[in-house]
Amino acid sequence: MARDEFFEPEQRYRDKGAPKDPEDQFMRWINLPGSGMANAPGIRPLRYLSRRPFTDLPAFLILVTKKSSTGGSYNPWDDDFDPKQKTLTYWGDAKLHPEKHYTDFPGNRTLKKIWDAVKEGRRDELPPILHFMKYESGWVTFTGLCELTDLSHSHFEEKEQRVANYRCQFRILGSEQVPVSWLHARRQAGTPTEALRGAPASWTAWVQGFSSSSSELLDAEPAALPLAADVGIRSVAQGFSSDPRIRKAVELEAMRRARMYFQDKGFTNIEDVSRRESFDLRVWNLKRELFVEVKGTQSIGSRVLLTSNEVEFARRNKSKMALYVLHSMKVREVDGEILVEGGEERVKCPWDVDTGALAPISFSYELP
């Protein structure tokens, strides 16, 4: 197995449809015995191989689209990949059939199952989707990791007949390499935390409810991720979106709830210093002063994103640091207004940032 290999966006890979062929960089790299890797275009779900999978969804999904001129099976419709906008419009796997309903096709059943999980907010269970374009026979070009952003019922024409099918929208999350070792390890995962170990930064950020566009990752400070122990619960977050309105609403609600929490703990003075300091709230009374790092997320809250400045400050001020996390928040939109509801609190006080596991997820690069 090619465990030290990577799939890199815009690079092409040899696809001979033969997992045992040493020249095959597609089936051979991805396939594991028992994982269900099919040699066919379209949706290819790969199952977990762990004894007790934490979800009934696939471990990850391979999506192969192609131009009609590349040969192979006949497609009466065209999928649309926009490399500039980083979007993909994809027809489901239904075909003209005298008896089958469009929901009977295995690929469509998988897509519907994933879309239901998206709407339910089960982001920590959702499978990474790797998209490949087949521009020429025998080769596939990797475009990147995707999220499913929409699934709707539609129709296309085949042999002058109307065929019902799903119409899907995907968005490319980033331009990073995807380690094959992570794909292999993920299929053995027994918890959401294990499934994220070794994941690309864009996928980790997306699972945690943060925007993961390539521009934001490149502009960000070097960041680190503390990995808390797996809490053994499933996210119930609602409102999957990289919409800045949602991110702001989640942030403000977390700050509001943090103020209430520390007021209830007897801190009579609370100051928002988030715009000028490497932490969010300074709270104090006659006996004690704390520096509070506040994080809000729609995920289960087992991990949060930190900038390098936040990590450095927390290390210098261990005795005074507190970490407040409001997780599993629910988001909905009513008449154009973003509403944030619910959420569960996890508080570490005092907080030693080095008691968790820190992993770098992005870096800032200044051109010479």
Side-chain angles (χ1 to χ4, degrees):
M1 289 183 284
R3 296 187 65 86
D4 294 324
E5 301 292 351
F6 296 85
F7 287 118
E8 184 173 349
E10 301 183 10
Q11 297 299 312
R12 69 175 192 164
Y13 298 88
R14 194 74 172 97
D15 175 19
K16 302 183 74 172
K20 296 182 179 180
D21 191 317
E23 295 183 4
D24 193 302
Q25 299 170 301
F26 184 58
M27 289 284 289
R28 181 173 66 87
W29 284 11
I30 297 173
N31 189 69
L32 284 176
S35 62
M37 176 68 171
N39 182 23
I43 294 291
R44 309 186 194 186
L46 285 91
R47 67 179 67 96
Y48 281 96
L49 301 177
S50 54
R51 291 185 178 181
R52 295 181 179 178
F54 61 91
T55 178
D56 60 349
L57 297 175
F60 61 91
L61 208 69
I62 302 297
L63 175 59
V64 180
T65 59
K66 66 177 186 176
K67 300 295 184 182
S68 58
S69 59
T70 56
S73 58
Y74 166 71
N75 274 344
W77 61 90
D78 285 325
D79 301 309
D80 181 22
F81 172 59
D82 187 335
K84 291 185 178 180
Q85 297 297 321
K86 301 293 184 181
T87 59
L88 168 68
T89 301
Y90 174 77
W91 282 102
D93 285 359
K95 295 177 176 61
L96 180 62
H97 194 278
E99 298 176 356
K100 278 188 177 182
H101 190 262
Y102 71 97
T103 57
D104 293 332
F105 290 83
N108 279 0
R109 288 201 302 269
T110 299
L111 289 172
K112 179 62 164 56
K113 199 172 184 180
I114 292 173
W115 183 240
D116 287 344
V118 168
K119 292 187 294 183
E120 292 167 5
R122 295 156 55 192
R123 190 174 289 213
D124 54 330
E125 296 183 33
L126 286 166
I129 301 171
L130 284 75
H131 175 236
F132 294 84
M133 281 293 298
K134 200 172 185 69
Y135 292 108
E136 55 184 308
S137 181
W139 295 88
V140 291
T141 298
F142 182 54
T143 69
L145 280 174
C146 307
E147 64 165 324
L148 177 61
T149 59
D150 188 51
L151 183 74
S152 59
H153 174 257
S154 189
H155 297 82
F156 62 87
E157 299 293 327
E158 181 178 1
K159 299 180 181 178
E160 299 183 351
Q161 295 190 51
R162 195 179 187 191
V163 181
N165 203 357
Y166 283 132
R167 190 73 164 155
C168 317
Q169 300 290 333
F170 296 89
R171 182 177 71 93
I172 306 294
L173 294 176
S175 56
E176 304 160 278
Q177 295 177 328
V178 175
V180 173
S181 59
W182 171 54
L183 302 178
H184 289 180
R186 183 178 173 89
R187 269 172 284 182
Q188 305 291 345
T191 66
T193 298
E194 290 177 2
L196 275 182
R197 288 174 185 163
S202 59
W203 181 253
T204 299
W206 184 83
V207 167
Q208 294 303 312
F210 293 85
S211 173
S212 55
S213 68
S214 57
S215 60
E216 290 188 17
L217 286 171
L218 288 172
D219 292 340
E221 295 178 272
L225 187 66
L227 308 180
D230 181 55
V231 295
I233 60 175
R234 187 170 68 191
S235 170
V236 293
Q238 300 294 326
F240 276 31
S241 177
S242 59
D243 189 329
R245 299 177 306 155
I246 292 180
R247 297 199 304 273
K248 187 64 176 178
V250 166
E251 174 189 328
L252 291 175
E253 178 64 8
M255 290 287 281
R256 185 186 72 84
R257 293 278 295 275
R259 289 191 194 94
M260 292 175 56
Y261 176 89
F262 286 98
Q263 283 174 353
D264 290 343
K265 295 298 181 182
F267 289 91
T268 54
N269 301 284
I270 298 179
E271 182 184 9
D272 183 346
V273 296
S274 58
R275 292 184 179 273
R276 65 177 189 272
E277 302 288 355
S278 297
F279 61 101
D280 297 301
L281 295 177
R282 175 176 171 252
V283 303
W284 72 97
N285 54 28
L286 293 176
K287 296 181 179 179
R288 193 179 185 192
E289 179 186 44
L290 290 177
F291 304 138
V292 185
E293 184 65 42
V294 178
K295 298 295 180 183
T297 176
Q298 299 175 70
S299 76
I300 61 174
S302 61
R303 56 179 66 196
V304 292
L305 297 180
L306 298 171
T307 68
S308 60
N309 286 344
E310 289 169 344
V311 171
E312 183 181 352
F313 183 88
R315 282 174 169 160
R316 292 199 313 264
N317 298 275
K318 290 181 181 180
S319 63
K320 290 187 174 184
M321 288 302 302
L323 174 65
Y324 176 94
V325 178
L326 185 63
H327 66 87
S328 302
M329 304 162 76
K330 298 180 180 180
V331 178
R332 59 193 179 98
E333 183 172 348
V334 179
D335 296 329
E337 181 182 0
I338 302 298
L339 301 179
V340 181
E341 302 168 331
E344 300 179 30
E345 295 173 321
R346 297 188 68 187
V347 182
K348 300 289 185 182
C349 184
W351 173 43
D352 182 350
V353 69
D354 290 309
T355 57
L358 289 168
I361 65 168
S362 65
F363 299 90
S364 175
Y365 175 71
E366 182 176 347
L367 276 67

